[in-house]
Amino acid sequence: MNRIVLRILAWLLVTAVAIFTLSPIELRPMTGAPADFERLAAFALVGGMFCLAYPRHRIAIVLFLIGVAGLLEVMQHIVPGRHGRSHDFAVKAVAVVTGSILTILIERITTRTSSEPVASQDVS
């Protein structure tokens, strides 16, 4: 996929997460899954998408996204009915790292697999 498209998708995704994080709780989409799983999935996806979009800046991206997670938790204190918690921040930070690592591993495996020569079969 084109890097420009990946970058647009990454920024749209982090923007959506920020909007849902800072909107009143009744406007937040509910999947029925535990809140920690929703946080984990969202931030793992954000981390993975940013690592695909900015492959030369992965460490900086992970640090930036951990900072975004912390900032969103702090900003929740100004939204009525919302509250930032250190536990939520920890889940989000771990998710960013996990999503980034998984994306890098999958990328390396698929790149290695697609670049390996196909073994010729002897049909004698």
Side-chain angles (χ1 to χ4, degrees):
M1 190 177 285
N2 184 330
R3 290 262 183 253
I4 294 171
V5 172
L6 289 171
R7 288 177 180 181
I8 291 169
L9 290 173
W11 285 104
L12 286 173
L13 191 57
V14 79
T15 300
V17 167
I19 289 169
F20 292 135
T21 300
L22 297 175
S23 64
I25 195 73
E26 57 272 359
L27 298 179
R28 196 183 110 208
M30 303 297 249
T31 65
D36 279 348
F37 180 78
E38 290 175 345
R39 288 180 194 101
L40 185 89
F43 276 84
L45 189 58
V46 168
M49 186 63 72
F50 268 88
C51 278
L52 289 174
Y54 297 94
R56 293 188 179 138
H57 307 284
R58 288 181 169 157
I59 293 172
I61 286 296
V62 168
L63 295 174
F64 167 73
L65 292 174
I66 290 171
V68 167
L71 180 63
L72 289 173
E73 288 303 311
V74 169
M75 289 177 67
Q76 283 187 57
H77 290 287
I78 63 172
V79 178
R82 299 303 299 261
H83 54 278
R85 298 185 316 188
S86 58
H87 168 80
D88 297 348
F89 167 71
V91 170
K92 292 172 182 178
V94 167
V96 165
V97 173
T98 302
S100 300
I101 290 171
L102 287 175
T103 299
I104 293 166
L105 290 174
I106 291 168
E107 186 179 53
R108 287 186 181 173
I109 289 168
T110 58
T111 302
R112 187 177 309 143
T113 303
S114 65
S115 65
E116 290 178 2
V118 176
S120 61
Q121 295 178 339
D122 188 17
V123 286
S124 342

